Amino acid sequence: LDLGALFGSFDNFLSFTMGGLVFGAIYALVALGYTMVYGVLQLINFAHSEVFMYGTFAVAWTFVLLHGTGDASWSLGRAVPILLVALVAAMLLSAAIALLLERFAYRPLINKNAPKLIALISAIGASFALAEAMGLRDRFANWFGLDDNLADYVAPQKARDVYSNPVSIQPHGLFDIGGYTVTDVDLVIIVAALGMMVALDQFVRRTRFGRGIRAVAQDPESASLMGVNSTRVVQVTFLVGGLMAGAAATLYMIKIGSTRQNSGFILGVKAFTAAVMGGIGNLRGALLGGLVLGVMENWGSAVFGSQWKDVVAFVLLVLILLVRPSGLLGEALGKARA
Amino acid sequence: MSITSTPTQPAKAPANPLMALGLWWDGVVDRYNALPKPARLLLVLLFALFVYALPLLRPPIITTNSIDFGGVMFGAAAFALVALGLNIVIGYAGLLDLGYVGFYAVGAYTTAVLTVYHGSWPFFLALPIAIAVTMVSGVILGAPTLRVRGDYLAIVTLGFGEIIRITVTNVEWVGAAAGIKNIPHPNNIGPAPNPPFDQGGFLELPRVAWDNWVPSFDWDHSTHVLAFGSRDAIPYYWLILSVIVLVIIGDRLVKASRVGRAWEATREDEDAAELMGVPTFKYKLMAFALGAAIGGLSGSFYASGQAGYINPQSFPLLLSMLFVAAVIVGGSGNRWGAMLGGVLVAYLPERFREFADYRLLVFGLALTVLAVWRPEGLLPPRRTRRAKIAAAEIEELEGEGVVDE
C-alpha cells in the first residue's frame, strides 16, 4: 500500500491522520453522552447534540463577556485564563440543559413506562425546540427589552447566522513528526479529551455513583430493590453526559472558533455513529469509535474528495457492524468490572 | 425499560384536556366499531367524499389563507402516503428507520431521470420503474443491515439517508446541487391544460367561497378535473388521494394476511417468532422493501407535482425525523393514526405561518408535549388500547389486594 501515492505525499497522510485524531477526540467526548444514556436507559438521546451546541455558545459568550467584541488573534497560552472560565461555563450550561431534558422530555415518559420510540420523538421535539430557541434568542431578548444590553450576545438580525468567538486562537507548532508539525492546539485537544475519558472511566468503575450507574444499566429493577435510587442515577448520567459535551464544546471552539444554532446536529450524528461503532453503552468503545471515525473520514476525504467525507463515515459504520454486530468493543456499560 | 417504580395512578380521571380528548375519541371509535357493517361502509364513503371535496369546500378556520390551500392539501396527502409506508416498517415490523427520506429521494430522482433528465418517458410509465428501483434499494440496504440489532438499525438507516442526499448533490448524472427541473406532470385526460391557466380536463368544478360563514360558488376559480397544469394543485391532490385509497386497501390485505401476523410476531418478540418457525429476517426484509416502495411512490408524485422541480435540499435528514415523528405521534401500528400524524406534521406549520419564525419552535415543543401527554399516539392501534384496558384492570385488582393486607 503506497500511502504517499494515495494521499499525495506521506506528510499529507500524517496531516490528515492528525486532523482526524483531533476531531475524533471531540466526537468521542460527545459520544459519551449518547453512550451513557443508552447504556442506562436504552434510549437514543437525540437532543444531546443541542446540549453540545449550547456549550459552544457558552464559550463564545464567555469570551465576549471577558474580552469584548473586538476581534483578536491570540496564542493558546494567552487565551488559557479565559478558556478555563469558558470551560467551566460551557460545562455548567451544557449540564443544565441536559438536566432540563431529563426532567421534562424523559422522566415523565420513563415514569409512565412508555415505549422507547416515543422517548425518541420527545427528544426530537426537544432538539428542534432547543435549536430554534437559540436561533430566536434575539426575539427573546427583545421581549424583555434587553436589546441594547445583550446585543453582543444575541447578535440581533443575524441570530441564525454563524456566531464567532471574538478571539481566534492561533496554533503554534511544537515539534515535527516526519514532515508534519504538531501544534499546541492539536495536542491540548487530544490530551484534554483523553484525560476526561480516563477520569470518567474511573468514575464509572471506582466510585459509588459509578457502581449505581452500572447496576441500573445491568438490571434496573434489581438495582432498585438493592436500594439504588434509579432516578438519581439517571440524573447523574445526564449530568455527566452534559459536562462532557461542555468540555467537547470548549475544545471544538478552540479548533473551529465559530458556531451557530444548528451546528450540533451533524456533529451529534457523527458522535452517535462513533458511539455505535465502538459499541454503544461502552465508554472505552466511545473513545475508540470516535478516534477511528475521525481518522477514517479524514482519510476518506483525502482519497475521495471532501464532499464524500460523510459517505465514508457511514459506509465504514455499516462495514464494522457487519463484521462486529455490536460494535468494535461490544456493549458493556453494565459489564465493566470494578 | 421500567427503571423507576411506576406510580400507580388511577386510569379513570383524565389529568389534562388532551387526555380527555383522547378518551372521548376512544369512545367514538368504540361506537363506530359497534355499528353494523353497511353503516360503517356508508360512513367511510361519506368521509372519503368529504376528504376529496376538502380543497374545494375550503372550510373557514382550517383553510390556509396566506398560501394556496390546494398545495397545502397536496403536501399533507403526500406526507400521509409516506407515513402509511413508514408505518409498515415502524408500526407493523417494529424497525426504526431514520433514513426514510432516502427512499423518498430515490423515487423522486428515478422519476425525474426517466421523464426528463435522461429520457422522456411519460409519468405513468416511469412510476412503476421508480417503485421497483426504490424497492430494490430497500432490499440492498436491508439485506446487510437487518441482521444488525434493532437500535443500531436507526443509525445505519440514518446514514443511508445522508448517503443518498450527498450522492445526488455530487453526482452530475442526476443533476448535482442544481437539481432537476421541468419534470413532466402526470398525463392529462381530455384536452391538455393551457398555461398559464389550467383549462382543459373533462370536468369543471367550482370552489366554495365563504363570506362570514355564508357559502357561495366561486366559478372564477374553478378546478378542472384531471388537468395537471402548473397553476392548480387540486388535481394532483385528487390523484395522490386515489393512490392512498389503493395503498390502504393493499395495506389492509397484507396486514390481515400471514405476512401481517408474521410482522406482529417479529415485532413483539423476535426470538420467540424465530423459534415458532417464522423466518424473521425474510419478513423484516419484506417490510423494509414494501415500506421503501411506498416511500418511492410518494417521492415519485412529489417530483412530478405542481412545481416539477427537485433538488438535493428537498430531502434533508430532518425530513426523516419528521416522517418518524408523524408515524409515532399519530399512533404507530394504526394506519389511520399514522396518516393523521403525517397530515398534521405537514399541515400545521403551513396553517400557522403567521407565527412565521416561531413555528418550528412551537412544533418542537408540541412534539415533546404530545409525546409526554399521550405516549401511545393520537390514534393508537386497537391492540394497544386493549392492552391498556387489561393493564388497568390488573392494576385495580392488585390495588385491592394491597388494601386488604
Side-chain angles (χ1 to χ4, degrees):
Chain A
L1 181 69
D2 186 358
L3 289 174
L6 209 53
F7 290 89
S9 71
F10 189 69
D11 292 347
N12 274 355
F13 168 73
L14 282 178
S15 137
F16 277 112
T17 309
M18 200 62 198
L21 283 177
V22 170
F23 261 90
I26 295 175
Y27 289 157
L29 278 181
V30 180
L32 288 176
Y34 288 99
T35 224
M36 288 197 50
V37 168
Y38 190 90
V40 170
L41 291 173
Q42 281 81 51
L43 293 179
I44 300 172
N45 181 10
F46 196 85
H48 191 62
S49 49
E50 301 338 306
V51 172
F52 166 83
M53 182 271 289
Y54 274 75
T56 59
F57 274 93
V59 174
W61 288 337
T62 309
F63 271 90
V64 172
L65 183 70
L66 297 179
H67 166 73
T69 47
D71 288 332
S73 180
W74 289 1
S75 70
L76 185 63
R78 186 166 171 207
V80 159
I82 299 185
L83 269 179
L84 287 178
V85 181
L87 176 69
V88 173
M91 288 173 89
L92 288 181
L93 183 60
S94 289
I97 298 285
L99 287 179
L100 278 178
L101 273 175
E102 191 272 335
R103 177 64 190 83
F104 292 106
Y106 285 102
R107 200 186 302 169
L109 290 169
I110 295 166
N111 287 343
K112 278 185 196 163
N113 234 334
K116 277 191 228 170
L117 274 183
I118 198 74
L120 180 75
I121 297 307
S122 169
I124 289 176
S127 168
F128 273 31
L130 283 171
E132 284 300 311
M134 183 54 90
L136 294 169
R137 61 188 186 281
D138 53 338
R139 314 298 173 88
F140 299 134
N142 187 269
W143 288 357
F144 295 108
L146 294 171
D147 271 347
D148 296 334
N149 312 42
L150 295 179
D152 295 341
Y153 302 92
V154 299
Q157 313 310 322
K158 53 185 185 73
R160 305 182 81 82
D161 293 348
V162 172
Y163 186 76
S164 298
N165 191 342
V167 174
S168 64
I169 293 164
Q170 292 303 320
H172 286 277
L174 289 180
F175 54 88
D176 293 352
I177 303 178
Y180 177 72
T181 311
V182 177
T183 65
D184 48 0
V185 166
D186 293 347
L187 204 67
V188 161
I189 290 177
I190 293 176
V191 169
L194 285 178
M196 310 274 312
M197 305 283 292
V198 171
L200 180 63
D201 194 55
Q202 293 304 309
F203 170 78
V204 171
R205 273 158 203 263
R206 301 214 189 275
T207 65
R208 196 180 152 76
F209 258 123
R211 198 157 63 218
I213 290 175
R214 281 181 286 129
V216 174
Q218 271 177 1
D219 186 340
E221 231 152 275
S222 308
S224 282
L225 292 174
M226 295 299 137
V228 178
N229 181 344
S230 54
T231 311
R232 181 57 55 82
V233 163
V234 172
Q235 263 179 339
V236 170
T237 308
F238 273 85
L239 177 79
V240 170
L243 291 174
M244 293 294 155
T250 312
L251 301 179
Y252 177 88
M253 287 303 276
I254 294 177
K255 181 81 183 165
I256 305 291
S258 65
T259 181
R260 62 189 299 178
Q261 100 274 4
N262 61 2
S263 65
F265 183 72
I266 199 71
L267 196 126
V269 168
K270 289 291 181 54
F272 183 54
T273 310
V276 171
M277 208 180 258
I280 198 156
N282 185 329
L283 296 180
R284 293 173 184 188
L287 176 64
L288 184 65
L291 294 180
V292 168
L293 182 71
V295 170
M296 293 303 257
E297 72 170 20
N298 239 17
W299 286 353
S301 67
V303 175
F304 300 106
S306 60
Q307 71 271 34
W308 298 105
K309 189 174 173 180
D310 295 352
V311 173
V312 171
F314 288 121
V315 169
L316 182 73
L317 174 75
V318 172
L319 291 181
I320 287 182
L321 287 182
L322 285 183
V323 185
R324 288 193 60 88
S326 47
L328 289 170
L329 297 186
E331 321 160 14
L333 187 58
K335 287 178 207 122
R337 274 174 300 275
Chain B
M1 215 192 67
S2 65
I3 64 142
T4 44
S5 55
T6 317
T8 48
Q9 29 180 240
K12 301 288 158 1
N16 59 55
L18 201 70
M19 272 180 199
L21 193 68
L23 284 180
W24 171 81
W25 175 255
D26 291 347
V28 171
V29 173
D30 287 337
R31 242 182 297 163
Y32 166 80
N33 283 329
L35 289 174
K37 197 163 183 187
R40 274 188 291 170
L41 199 65
L42 187 71
L43 279 178
V44 168
L45 282 178
L46 280 177
F47 177 70
L49 191 68
F50 172 72
V51 173
Y52 266 93
L54 204 51
L56 291 179
L57 289 178
R58 302 173 64 81
I61 298 175
I62 72 163
T63 303
T64 52
N65 292 317
S66 50
I67 166 170
D68 175 36
F69 186 53
V72 172
M73 292 298 293
F74 173 78
F79 260 56
L81 183 57
V82 169
L84 203 52
L86 191 55
N87 181 43
I88 295 180
V89 182
I90 294 184
Y92 295 170
L95 307 166
L96 179 54
D97 186 344
L98 287 183
Y100 201 65
V101 74
F103 299 127
Y104 193 60
V106 168
Y109 268 93
T110 310
T111 311
V113 162
L114 286 178
T115 54
V116 55
Y117 213 63
H118 290 287
S120 49
W121 295 27
F123 170 74
F124 283 106
L125 209 59
L127 182 65
I129 306 293
I131 295 173
V133 168
T134 325
M135 203 179 229
V136 169
S137 75
V139 171
I140 292 175
L141 173 67
T145 56
L146 283 175
R147 297 184 194 276
V148 170
R149 257 239 344 261
D151 298 301
Y152 287 31
L153 193 63
I155 187 73
V156 172
T157 49
L158 191 150
F160 168 75
E162 268 301 86
I163 288 175
I164 296 286
R165 193 183 61 79
I166 296 171
T167 307
V168 295
T169 313
N170 290 303
V171 174
E172 206 53 56
W173 195 79
V174 290
I180 298 178
K181 54 181 192 288
N182 296 329
I183 302 167
H185 301 303
N187 315 46
N188 293 289
I189 295 180
N194 185 13
F197 301 106
D198 298 344
Q199 305 300 328
F202 67 67
L203 184 64
E204 201 177 333
L205 290 178
R207 65 159 74 152
V208 179
W210 295 83
D211 183 25
N212 279 333
W213 298 90
V214 181
S216 61
F217 285 126
D218 176 3
W219 284 97
D220 293 338
H221 299 94
S222 55
T223 290
H224 295 257
V225 179
L226 289 173
F228 300 101
S230 52
R231 193 184 63 112
D232 194 354
I234 298 175
Y236 298 94
Y237 168 72
W238 284 330
L239 180 65
I240 200 167
L241 207 56
S242 311
V243 171
I244 289 179
V245 170
L246 293 180
V247 172
I248 289 176
I249 293 171
D251 186 76
R252 281 183 74 105
L253 293 175
V254 174
K255 175 84 194 296
S257 73
R258 185 189 177 84
V259 178
R261 290 194 299 278
W263 284 338
E264 198 162 338
T266 311
R267 182 192 59 217
E268 294 304 326
D269 189 334
E270 197 169 335
D271 295 332
E274 190 79 53
L275 282 174
M276 293 298 146
V278 178
T280 54
F281 176 72
K282 193 181 111 189
Y283 283 112
K284 283 198 291 185
L285 196 58
M286 201 183 282
F288 221 64
L290 262 182
I294 296 176
L297 175 73
S298 190
S300 191
F301 279 101
Y302 172 75
S304 66
Q306 199 187 3
Y309 171 63
I310 52 172
N311 68 359
Q313 279 100 61
S314 326
F315 308 99
L317 200 50
L318 277 177
L319 205 52
S320 285
M321 309 297 156
L322 282 187
F323 291 158
V324 173
V327 171
I328 294 175
V329 164
S332 135
N334 179 346
R335 66 179 76 84
W336 298 103
M339 284 194 296
L340 174 71
V343 169
L344 286 181
V345 165
Y347 169 77
L348 288 182
E350 300 297 341
R351 173 66 184 83
F352 293 104
R353 267 189 183 259
E354 302 88 285
F355 292 111
D357 299 339
Y358 295 98
R359 62 195 178 132
L360 269 176
L361 176 67
V362 173
F363 178 74
L365 288 175
L367 269 189
T368 304
V369 167
L370 264 181
V372 169
W373 269 353
R374 200 169 154 87
E376 69 273 31
L378 292 173
L379 303 181
R382 216 176 300 162
R383 68 184 149 73
T384 312
R385 287 179 42 224
R386 277 203 301 257
K388 217 174 131 189
I389 294 166
E393 277 168 6
I394 292 171
E395 205 156 84
E396 205 166 303
L397 290 172
E398 281 178 347
E400 280 166 14
V402 174
V403 173
D404 285 345
E405 270 177 352

